[in-house]
């Protein structure tokens, strides 16, 4: 890469990302164990691994860690602390700035300072 090239990424706040996936994919209807509950979020967070595994593989990784998946972490590595640590080190080394959409104004100030 030529000198002066910077790499950035824009992610969402994890809770906002989770709620977006949960609502856009209609998790309450998609995952049978959530259907009888008035508050499906609460039930999901009581046992997230058990509930998420009842979803399809496509939706499972989005409920667990979709932004890491988008940046290259494989779903099989989500529970592997060493793989996650190496992934974090790789992302930290490759990107000059990772911005958060919900803090876009602040992120743009940081981007300008690079």
């Amino acid at each position: 890469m030529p000198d002066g090239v910077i790499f950035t990424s824009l992610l969402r706040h994890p809770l906002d990302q989770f709620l977006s996936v949960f609502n856009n994919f209609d998790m309450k209807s998609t995952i049978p164990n959530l259907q009888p509950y008035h508050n499906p979020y609460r039930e999901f967070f009581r046992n997230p691994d058990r509930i998420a595994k009842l979803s399809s593989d496509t939706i499972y990784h989005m409920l667990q860690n979709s932004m890491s998946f988008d940046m290259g972490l494989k779903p099989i590595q989500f529970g592997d602390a060493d793989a996650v640590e190496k992934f974090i080190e790789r992302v930290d080394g490759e990107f000059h700035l990772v911005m958060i959409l919900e803090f876009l104004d602040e992120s743009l100030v940081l981007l300008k300072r690079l």
Side-chain angles (χ1 to χ4, degrees), residues 9-14 17-18 21 60-81 83-92 94-95 98-100:
S9 183
L10 180 63
L11 302 176
R12 295 194 64 194
H13 186 282
Q17 175 68 17
F18 172 83
V21 169
Y60 176 72
H61 77 267
M62 289 190 284
L63 288 172
Q64 291 298 304
N65 205 340
S66 65
M67 292 179 287
S68 294
F69 174 81
D70 292 340
M71 296 182 84
L73 187 66
K74 295 177 177 72
I76 197 165
Q77 297 173 310
F78 289 174
D80 182 343
V84 170
E85 185 65 33
K86 288 177 185 173
F87 168 76
I88 292 170
E89 290 172 6
R90 180 183 62 80
V91 169
D92 188 43
E94 289 179 2
F95 290 92
V98 176
M99 300 177 284
I100 304 297

Side-chain angles (χ1 to χ4, degrees), residues 23-45:
N23 292 319
N24 289 333
F25 286 94
D26 193 20
M27 290 296 131
K28 185 173 180 180
S29 298
T30 304
I31 302 174
N33 287 36
L34 294 178
Q35 291 171 0
Y37 293 97
H38 176 69
N39 186 340
Y41 305 115
R42 184 180 313 171
E43 183 58 25
F44 181 89
F45 283 113

